Structures are given as C-alpha cells and as structure tokens.
Amino acid sequence: MQFTALQIATLLKGQIQGDPEAKVSHVAKIEEAGDGSLSFVANPKYEEFLYTSKASVIIINDSLELTGPVNPTLIKVKDAYSSFAFLLEKYNEIISRSGKNGIEQPSFVSKTASIGKDVYVGAFAYIGENVMIGDRVQIYPGCYIGDNVVINEDSKVFPGAKIYNGCSLGSRVIIHAGSIIGADGFGFAPQKDGSYKKVPQIGNVIIEDDVEIGANTTIDRATMGATTIRKGVKLDNLIQIAHNVEIGENTVIAAQTGVSGSTKLGKNCVVGGQVGIVGHIQLADGTKVNAQSGLSKSTTAPNTALNGSPAFDYKSSLKSQAIFRNLPELQQRLLKLEETVQILTDMLKEKNGIEEK
Amino acid sequence: MQFTALQIATLLKGQIQGDPEAKVSHVAKIEEAGDGSLSFVANPKYEEFLYTSKASVIIINDSLELTGPVNPTLIKVKDAYSSFAFLLEKYNEIISRSGKNGIEQPSFVSKTASIGKDVYVGAFAYIGENVMIGDRVQIYPGCYIGDNVVINEDSKVFPGAKIYNGCSLGSRVIIHAGSIIGADGFGFAPQKDGSYKKVPQIGNVIIEDDVEIGANTTIDRATMGATTIRKGVKLDNLIQIAHNVEIGENTVIAAQTGVSGSTKLGKNCVVGGQVGIVGHIQLADGTKVNAQSGLSKSTTAPNTALNGSPAFDYKSSLKSQAIFRNLPELQQRLLKLEETVQILTDMLKEKNGIEEK
Amino acid sequence: MQFTALQIATLLKGQIQGDPEAKVSHVAKIEEAGDGSLSFVANPKYEEFLYTSKASVIIINDSLELTGPVNPTLIKVKDAYSSFAFLLEKYNEIISRSGKNGIEQPSFVSKTASIGKDVYVGAFAYIGENVMIGDRVQIYPGCYIGDNVVINEDSKVFPGAKIYNGCSLGSRVIIHAGSIIGADGFGFAPQKDGSYKKVPQIGNVIIEDDVEIGANTTIDRATMGATTIRKGVKLDNLIQIAHNVEIGENTVIAAQTGVSGSTKLGKNCVVGGQVGIVGHIQLADGTKVNAQSGLSKSTTAPNTALNGSPAFDYKSSLKSQAIFRNLPELQQRLLKLEETVQILTDMLKEKNGIEEK
C-alpha cells in the first residue's frame, strides 16, 4: 500500500512543508529510513538525522525550529510521537483485519456453538460444543476452542492456539500463536511401588479483559477452581503458568519465566525473563524481579525489588554478585593474612612463650 | 451437569446426613466452596471450615465426630479423600470423553493406516501412511501423526500435538497440546568456512506405557537408535529432551527443564523446574535435582540430592548460598582483620625490629 | 525398506568381503548393532567391536588391517565415516520426501498465492494472500503461512509451524514443528493508571538462507524494520528471539535460550542452552557463552568466552565458582583467624598497653 504526504497530513490534521505528492510505502526509524519511508522525529537527540535523512516523509513537532535545509517532505503536528503512534495503530488495524471476516471453509463449528457478529473464524479452526464467541472476535486458522469455552468481544486468538474445554477469555484479550490454555496441571500422587497416579485436573483457566499472552506460552487449568489471569496482564512468549496460579492486575512477565502451582502474584508486578517462582507463595503488589532470579519466599512489602537465585533484596544481591567476581582475590587476601598472623604468632610464642592453642 | 447428594452417596456407598435432594454442579476446596459446591474434609486441620462452609454437600470420614451444627448436607464415607478422588476421576471421564468418539470430518486418514476400535480422531487431525492406532485412542483436532507412527491403546494425544514419522507411543500415554515428538536432534558438523552441515537424524522417539507429557514440550528423535522415555515418566510443560536421551522409569521432571544429548537419567529421579543437564552424563536412580540447577557431572550414588549452577551436594550448596548472601559482611570482616593485623605488625616491628616481609 | 550389501557397495563404490546378499533394514552404532543392522567403524577405538559385532553389514576403511575373524559382511571404502554419512543423507532424503508431493486435500491456498514447482502442501495447511512459495518447498500439514509471506526454494516448514504475515524465509531453510515466526514483539507503554497500552508491532522477521530452527521456538516480528536471522544460523528448540534482534551468520544457539529486544549477535557465536541475554547489547563475532549464563553487557573483542549469571570472563568465572563451593571452609578460616588475632591483640594489649581501637 502506498500513501501520499497529503493523505497522511489530512489524517493527522498537520501542515505540509515540501511535496504533498511524496509517496511512502512503509515506516522506519529515522536513522534507518530510506526512499519510500515514513518516519518521525520527536526526541531532540534524533533531530540531527533530519538534515541527512533519505526518508520520503517525516513527521515533526510544529514547535521544532529547523537549523538547516531538509530534503524529505515534512508534516508538522503538535505531538509527532503521538501522531506517529496513531498512524501505526491505524496501519496495524488495516493490515491485521484486511479480509479477516466471516467463516472460512473448511472449518469445524459445533451446532451448539454461539457465534457473535462480525466474527472471523479461519480455516481449520475447531469450535466445540456450547462455545460462546462474542462480537468481532477473530479466531485464526488452526485454533482449537474446546467445549464450553467462552470468548468475549474483540478478542483475537492467533493461529494454532489451543484452548481446552471450560476456559474463559474476557474482552479484548490477545492470545498469540501456539499458546496452550487449560492443559492439565502437573499433579501426580506417588504410589508405594514408585509409580505415580494422575490427580484429575477439573478446574479451568479464567483470563480477564485486556490480557495479552505471547506465543507458545502454557497456562495450566486448576486442579479445582481456576487459574486466574487478571485484567491487563501481559505475558511474553514461552512462559509457564502452573495450576491454580493467580496473576494480579496489570502485572507484566517477560519470556521463559515459570510460575509454580498455587502461587499468587499481586498487581503491577514486573517480572523479568527466565525467572522461576516456587509454588504456594505470594508476591505483594508491585514486586519487581530481575531476570533469571529464583524466588522461593513470599514478599509482603509492596514494590520489593529482588534478584538472584535464590533471590533476595536487589541491591544487596548486586553487592554479593560483585564480590563473587572477586572471590579469587578475596581468597588470596585471606591466605596472605593467615601467613602474616602465623608469623606474628610464631614471634610472640618465641618471645613470650605462648601456649599452643 | 447437576447431581443430588443422594446420587453421590449411592455411588460412594456413603450415609447422608441432611437433605438428600441438595444439588451440586461443581467441586471446590472446602475453604472456597459456595452454593452448589461439592467439597470434602479429610485432613483434621480443615475441619474448622465444616461449621462455616457454604458448600451444598460435603464428604467427610465416618470416623469424624462433629463438635457443632453443620449447614451443608454431609455424606459420610470410610475415606473421604479417596472417595472424593474417585468422584473427580469419574467426573473427568465424563467431561473428557463426552461426544469424543468416531472420526470427525474433515480429517485426513491415510488408506494404509490401521485404526483400532472406539477411536476418536478429531477434525483436522492428520494420520500418515502405515500408522497404527490402538483401541480407544483419542487423537484430538489438529494433531499430526507422521508416517509409520505406532500409538497403543487408551492413549490420548491432545489438540495440535505433532508426532514425526517413525516414533512410537505405549499404552495409556497422554501427550498434551502443542508437544512435538520426534523433531530432528540438534546435530551439525562444523565446516572449514565457519558454516555447519546438518547431520541426518534418522533415529526415532520411543515413549513407553503410562507416560504423561505436558504442553509444548519437545522431544527430539535420535541421530541413530532411539530417544527413550521409559514407563511411568511424567514430564511437565515446555521441557526440552535432546536426541538420544533416556529418561528412566517413573522419573518426574518439572517445567522448562532441558536435558542435553545422550544423557541418561535413572529411575525414580525427581528433577525441578528450569534445570539444565549437559550432554553425555548419567544420573543414578533416585537423583533429586533442585529447581534452576545446572548439572555438568554424572552421579553414581543413588538418591543423591543436588542444587546450584553448577550443581553440587544439596546441603553444602545451601550453606554456600547462605554465605553468598553475607559476602559483603564477610568482606568487611576480612578488611577489618587486615587493618588489625597491620596495626599488630607495625607494633611488633617497632618494638621488636621485625624485618619487612 | 531392505537393502543388500551389494546394493550398498555399488552405491559407495566399495569392495565386499563376505556375503553380498546380506540384508540390512536399519542403521545402528557399532556397539548397539544387531541382526539386520548396517554399521560402520572409522575410529580405531571402536575397532574392537568389529570382532564381536552382530551387525549384518559393516562399512570400514580399506586401510584397516583386520587382526581376527569377522562375522558380518564388510564393505571396504576409502573413508568409512564419509561413506556412512553419505548413506544417511540418501536414506533421510528417501524417508522425508517419500510421497510428499503435490497439494493434499483439504488445504487452504489463497487464489493470490504463487506456488512453485514440485511443491508439497500438506492437508490443513493454510496459505494466505499473495504468499510466494518457491520450487520444491515442503509445507507440512497444519502449517499457517500468513499473507504476503515469501518462502524461497527447497525450504521445509514442518507440521504446525506458524509464520505471521509479511515474514520471509530464504532458500534451504528448515523450520521445525510448532515454531512461531513473526508474532508481535513484547512492547507496551505504561499508562498513568498502571495499565499498559500495546505498541503496534508492524515490522517483520527475515530469515536468510540455510537457517535451521528447532521445534516450538519463537521469533518475534520487529516493532519497525526486521528481526533478522542471518545465513547459516542454527537455532535449537524452545528458543525466544525478541523483536528487532539480529543473529549473525553461522551463529549457533542451544535450546531454551532467550535473546531480548534489539540485541545483536555477531557471526560464528556459540551460545549454550538456557542462556539469557538482555536487550540492546552487541556481542562481537565468535563470542562463546556457556549454558545458563546471563549476559547484561556487550562484548567488543572477538571470540570472548563468558560464563555465569551475571556472566563474566569464562576462566575467572570458573575460579569464582570453585571458591563458591568452598565458602563454608573460607568462612571457617576467617573465623579462626579472627580468634587468633583477638588472642594476639589481647596479649599485646596486656603486655604493651595498646589503646582500644
């Protein structure tokens, strides 16, 4: 798709300086933009790129005073960053919705399923018994929506995501490709002969509004009750959420982190990548966990920052890590001290006749 | 589905105290149970919840002596825990099998495939050439069963799991959604120009009876021979098992752990989450590995417990970790000691004319 | 499939010693080979197995001088290892291509898609609008190829891999089952009320020639521009590559490693399993990273070896790790020294009247 500077300026209610017919076909960062690029400058530290940029069109703040000649066509707006973000959203909407409407064939939709208005169901998607799909939901090709699942309006389930029976998704939820919602929790009772017997996992997973879940992430159903992902939570790719976990509102978790069974994270927590959290603990609101940490204890004070495996207070942990690097030197100092003290001891023994300890 | 206290008591051969017509529609933990809940009390420490519970029906041990009035209908049995587990299993069977029978359309079943009795093949499942599917096997929608795969009776392959050609599954095996069995092992021969040449991976994966494998776990095929998952093994989600690995009978591994090529784990090992195990080592029977550990050496004594990255003896490792937290204090003590010894040295030098070392 | 020693010898231009009609149906390592096995001996340390092997046919170097009687039929060639590898490749080609040709039904191929010659599209595969598929490409069952994706000749996309709209694959690329290419990067702008707003991710993923990507790995699309996987890169299973990352030519990464946003790895790097690399750093060509390390800083010197979390110089890190194991002993030595110094101090105080410090 191509757009002219004039079309963009009209959309943004901005003023054009340069050729209104300049055409753009893609967006780029100002430092990487070439012919056909639309870019923007909002941060003064990128202003220098304006004068050498090969972009075709650049959006700038109307408060910016140019200090030299500029080749690309400029569009002046009140807030260049917001205007650019607005364009990205519009563009993204066009891209992601284009042609994605209606029920593609072949797909499998149970007769007992209830499908809302303006829904997209891709080819090879499977919609089980008694499923309820809200208005404008998009189910991409190859998804599996198990029996009795509820998906509320404006949610998107990307290709090949699988939602086991009985789970529910709120409104505006995004599930990326390959994620598995509601597989059995990992529960086995050890038997006398060393084998294990499966503990039935008959709960479900409840995902509230405005949650986004990355690709190939797994969220297990509860043994009983629900594994719960609260409103506004953002989970990255390849994350493991075990049975009966609860993730509090607006908590954000980076890729490859694992949360063990029955643990509860508070609101607005920020958890780095590859973190491990043991089962049956609670993290207070606003807990911050550094990447690769291992948490084995609850936090009770809000906004605690943690680091390390096992994790403890963030700042103390950094100090210990710094000394860890210098352990060889520390050991050397200890050895030298032992020698010196031995010399002192020998001297005093000799001179003063100390008894051997 | 709704059940009455009478129906449940009949099934469990228990005695009713209260309203035999009390109705339940779901199960819940005693501390979370509300109207319509079926719950149980087996552990004396939960007995207190009996007297305030809003559950509709509660299963208790007939040996329990009540110390106050109870609102919910009670069902008295010999062993409340076993009875409840028995109900969960029955319930789970009903839920998971309801309507899951026969070959849904559209699906792809090769003419050369052999399909047992009472098999479920979901829509969009793919069954390749010469595949053998045993009786009562369930292949959920969107699964891929490659050429020459064998799946023995009563196994379940959940939606979207992929089994590459030539692999075999025992009886009563459960593979959860999105797991990949038999992709190529990671084998590449370095070339002189810095590039890598693929080493063909022509072995397979053999999964024995009663194994359960979680969601999005990957088990690579052997270079030659077989990657082998022995009887009764339980693997959690997002686990990586590399080529030619062998996991011994009844070994249990938690989520996000990785086992590198040709390593062999013994029987009855218990491995925590996010553990990494290097290639070409052996772990003795009953080895226990704490979460996030990194193993680079074999264990020969059975039942060894390990911790840390790199891992060593569990108890010693905990001691080192405790001191790690106090490294700043330890460093401080060392510094103070150096100062004191310097003072002593200076004094003795002065008084006794020690030569500089 | 069965082959005779004669057929194999003819293919390899080797000389037969023994029965030319000896039949093999599979390959095996010399130490595990049984009846019907084809095996090889190239390394002198495996020569001993020749004299006891139950293999049916063994390939050996023609320079090898036998020191005893051998039961299996031998095929003598100039380079036994290369000949065996050549056979494996041939065998693998036969296995993996057999019958995999044409467009299986049902599948979904957009009218606007362009499909090359001798292409395989498996059942339940989805090919979106304007997709370009090169000659001899294999798209296995259940794959999703989004709108405007380009896949160049001789590439293979294994069952259930998902490629989001606008991404491109070079020639001879292999994508294993369940991998997700081009899901949205993890970008959210924090809002004043504690919630997050999605930052549109409108870039793509570019995968160059000869790349192999393991099972269930995720590679996110760029916010703007491209996440780039250069020529010859090999990625193992369950790896996370975040938005705008660049992986340099011939770099190899083991399973479960994660690379955060905008980080650039140089050429010929070797990264172990379960490594975490923070965002916005650069690793120089040839950087080597040990398993489970955590990198938070760029490397500028080529071929640097790193270890630990946080990672630093490999050899220094091993020293610190060794001392870590002995921290209890080190602490004990410090304690003993403190006691000795206290005794010395007391003695000197008493004898010489030192002032308390």
Side-chain angles (χ1 to χ4, degrees), chain B residues 176-249:
Chain B
H176 278 287
S179 278
I180 312 295
I181 311 299
D184 284 352
F186 197 62
F188 300 93
Q191 306 295 298
K192 282 179 188 166
D193 65 353
S195 72
Y196 291 86
K197 190 172 177 189
K198 185 173 175 68
V199 177
Q201 305 288 312
I202 66 165
N204 70 346
V205 176
I206 296 174
I207 296 177
E208 296 186 352
D209 296 346
D210 300 304
V211 168
E212 182 161 345
I213 292 172
N216 280 349
T217 278
T218 60
I219 304 180
D220 282 350
R221 69 197 307 111
T223 310
M224 285 190 276
T227 304
T228 310
I229 312 296
R230 297 271 178 227
K231 195 168 184 299
V233 165
K234 310 297 178 191
L235 302 182
D236 201 351
N237 300 345
L238 293 168
I239 286 173
Q240 152 72 354
I241 304 291
H243 46 185
N244 292 87
V245 163
E246 181 180 333
I247 308 287
E249 222 170 280

Side-chain angles (χ1 to χ4, degrees), chain A residues 207-253:
Chain A
I207 297 177
E208 296 187 351
D209 296 345
D210 300 304
V211 167
E212 182 160 344
I213 292 172
N216 281 347
T217 278
T218 60
I219 303 179
D220 283 351
R221 69 195 307 110
T223 309
M224 285 190 276
T227 304
T228 309
I229 313 296
R230 296 274 177 223
K231 195 167 185 301
V233 165
K234 310 297 178 190
L235 301 182
D236 202 350
N237 300 344
L238 292 167
I239 286 172
Q240 152 71 355
I241 304 291
H243 46 185
N244 292 87
V245 163
E246 180 180 335
I247 309 287
E249 222 170 280
N250 294 328
T251 280
V252 173
I253 303 183

Side-chain angles (χ1 to χ4, degrees), chain A residues 118-260:
Chain A
D118 296 323
V119 163
Y120 169 56
V121 175
F124 318 123
Y126 185 100
I127 315 277
E129 301 284 333
N130 306 314
V131 167
M132 293 183 63
I133 306 277
D135 296 345
R136 296 172 302 283
V137 164
Q138 299 186 303
I139 309 284
Y140 275 77
C143 287
Y144 171 83
I145 312 296
D147 298 344
N148 304 305
V149 166
V150 175
I151 303 182
N152 282 301
E153 60 270 20
D154 298 300
S155 290
K156 294 182 189 192
V157 185
F158 279 99
K162 313 295 179 196
I163 304 180
Y164 279 54
N165 62 298
C167 297
S168 78
L169 274 61
S171 301
R172 298 171 303 282
V173 167
I174 297 174
I175 311 277
H176 277 286
S179 278
I180 312 296
I181 311 299
D184 285 352
F186 196 62
F188 300 94
Q191 307 296 298
K192 282 180 189 166
D193 65 354
S195 71
Y196 291 85
K197 189 171 179 191
K198 185 174 176 66
V199 176
Q201 305 287 312
I202 66 165
N204 71 346
V205 176
I206 296 174
I207 297 177
E208 296 187 351
D209 296 345
D210 300 304
V211 167
E212 182 160 344
I213 292 172
N216 281 347
T217 278
T218 60
I219 303 179
D220 283 351
R221 69 195 307 110
T223 309
M224 285 190 276
T227 304
T228 309
I229 313 296
R230 296 274 177 223
K231 195 167 185 301
V233 165
K234 310 297 178 190
L235 301 182
D236 202 350
N237 300 344
L238 292 167
I239 286 172
Q240 152 71 355
I241 304 291
H243 46 185
N244 292 87
V245 163
E246 180 180 335
I247 309 287
E249 222 170 280
N250 294 328
T251 280
V252 173
I253 303 183
Q256 297 179 316
T257 282
V259 182
S260 306

Side-chain angles (χ1 to χ4, degrees), chain B residues 111-339:
Chain B
K111 284 178 186 165
T112 55
S114 145
I115 309 286
K117 291 178 201 162
D118 296 324
V119 163
Y120 169 56
V121 175
F124 317 122
Y126 185 101
I127 315 277
E129 302 283 335
N130 306 312
V131 167
M132 296 183 61
I133 306 275
D135 295 346
R136 296 173 301 284
V137 164
Q138 299 186 304
I139 309 284
Y140 276 76
C143 287
Y144 171 84
I145 313 296
D147 298 344
N148 305 302
V149 166
V150 175
I151 303 181
N152 283 301
E153 61 269 22
D154 298 301
S155 290
K156 294 181 189 193
V157 186
F158 279 99
K162 313 294 179 196
I163 305 180
Y164 278 55
N165 61 298
C167 296
S168 79
L169 274 61
S171 301
R172 298 171 301 282
V173 168
I174 296 173
I175 310 277
H176 278 287
S179 278
I180 312 295
I181 311 299
D184 284 352
F186 197 62
F188 300 93
Q191 306 295 298
K192 282 179 188 166
D193 65 353
S195 72
Y196 291 86
K197 190 172 177 189
K198 185 173 175 68
V199 177
Q201 305 288 312
I202 66 165
N204 70 346
V205 176
I206 296 174
I207 296 177
E208 296 186 352
D209 296 346
D210 300 304
V211 168
E212 182 161 345
I213 292 172
N216 280 349
T217 278
T218 60
I219 304 180
D220 282 350
R221 69 197 307 111
T223 310
M224 285 190 276
T227 304
T228 310
I229 312 296
R230 297 271 178 227
K231 195 168 184 299
V233 165
K234 310 297 178 191
L235 302 182
D236 201 351
N237 300 345
L238 293 168
I239 286 173
Q240 152 72 354
I241 304 291
H243 46 185
N244 292 87
V245 163
E246 181 180 333
I247 308 287
E249 222 170 280
N250 294 328
T251 280
V252 173
I253 304 183
Q256 298 180 316
T257 282
V259 182
S260 306
S262 300
T263 281
K264 294 195 192 319
L265 273 70
K267 298 177 188 177
N268 301 103
C269 297
V270 178
V271 181
Q274 299 185 335
V275 166
I277 306 181
V278 298
H280 300 274
I281 66 170
Q282 270 107 50
L283 300 189
D285 293 350
T287 300
K288 280 161 193 55
V289 186
N290 203 26
Q292 293 195 324
S293 295
L295 268 67
S296 54
K297 287 178 187 164
S298 294
T299 60
T300 48
N303 306 315
T304 309
L306 296 162
N307 182 45
S309 172
F312 53 100
D313 168 67
Y314 181 72
K315 283 187 186 168
S316 307
S317 167
L318 292 191
K319 281 179 198 162
S320 284
Q321 288 179 345
I323 299 171
F324 176 82
R325 289 177 73 131
N326 293 326
L327 277 181
E329 185 222 318
L330 202 122
Q331 191 183 36
Q332 209 51 44
R333 281 163 58 189
L334 183 65
L335 187 66
K336 196 176 165 203
L337 212 49
E338 285 172 333
E339 288 167 357

Side-chain angles (χ1 to χ4, degrees), chain B residues 98-121:
Chain B
S98 67
K100 304 306 175 204
N101 245 311
I103 315 285
E104 280 178 358
Q105 292 304 338
S107 54
F108 184 102
V109 180
S110 295
K111 284 178 186 165
T112 55
S114 145
I115 309 286
K117 291 178 201 162
D118 296 324
V119 163
Y120 169 56
V121 175

Side-chain angles (χ1 to χ4, degrees), chain B residues 126 198 240 309 320 333, chain C residues 104 176 212 237 292 324 338:
Chain B
Y126 185 101
K198 185 173 175 68
Q240 152 72 354
S309 172
S320 284
R333 281 163 58 189
Chain C
E104 281 178 0
H176 278 287
E212 183 160 343
N237 301 344
Q292 291 194 327
F324 176 82
E338 285 172 333

